[in-house]
Amino acid sequence: QVQLVESGGGLVQAGDSLRLSCAASGGTFEHYVVAWFRQAPGKERQFVCAISRNGGNTRYVDSVQDRFIISRDNDKNTAALQMNNLKPEDTAVYYCAADFAGVFLSKDTSDYDNWGQGTPVTVSS
């Protein structure tokens, strides 16, 4: 397994941009699919996006597809989520997740065995 640590969250205004980072250690990072999930207070954790092991394929939920970009740098054992034109509805704790042998770019939380602690993102109006 790998250990994941997110960073980069904060308080921003609607329309701003923010870049989240996910640092991995303890495993061979390039063997893991990486995904970002988010969880708003009182709601279930939901899929945001995912990226394949070599970075060649990505998947986004419709609500962020035009605004968010997921990327990874296997040489640095990191993944990132560039969030542009943030909206109040993007407010949530964002989690980095890694999947070694699950469904391809799965959107289900149950398919990911490795999770970071989360980093909060608050978007004000």
Side-chain angles (χ1 to χ4, degrees):
Q1 65 176 27
V2 294
Q3 291 74 52
L4 306 173
V5 179
E6 303 96 334
S7 62
L11 174 63
V12 298
Q13 295 182 338
D16 285 352
S17 296
L18 201 61
R19 186 177 180 87
L20 306 182
S21 295
C22 175
S25 62
T28 306
F29 184 63
E30 64 185 14
H31 291 173
Y32 291 81
V33 168
V34 174
W36 288 91
F37 290 78
R38 63 187 181 186
Q39 185 169 22
K43 297 184 178 180
E44 294 184 345
R45 192 170 301 184
Q46 297 183 333
F47 174 82
V48 178
C49 57
I51 188 168
S52 61
R53 293 170 175 84
N54 64 0
N57 292 282
T58 58
R59 180 184 184 182
Y60 299 87
V61 68
D62 287 345
S63 60
V64 308
Q65 186 166 261
D66 297 333
R67 301 180 293 119
F68 290 10
I69 302 173
I70 186 172
S71 62
R72 67 189 298 164
D73 187 339
N74 290 339
D75 291 333
K76 297 182 178 180
N77 295 327
T78 60
L81 179 63
Q82 178 66 44
M83 303 184 294
N84 299 315
N85 191 24
L86 284 161
K87 302 177 180 180
E89 51 263 43
D90 295 320
T91 296
V93 176
Y94 283 71
Y95 297 88
C96 180
D99 174 31
F100 181 75
V103 177
F104 178 69
L105 301 185
S106 174
K107 63 179 179 61
D108 298 319
T109 59
S110 61
D111 288 325
Y112 294 85
D113 298 323
N114 305 276
W115 294 85
Q117 84 289 349
T119 185
V121 173
T122 301
V123 185
S124 65
S125 300

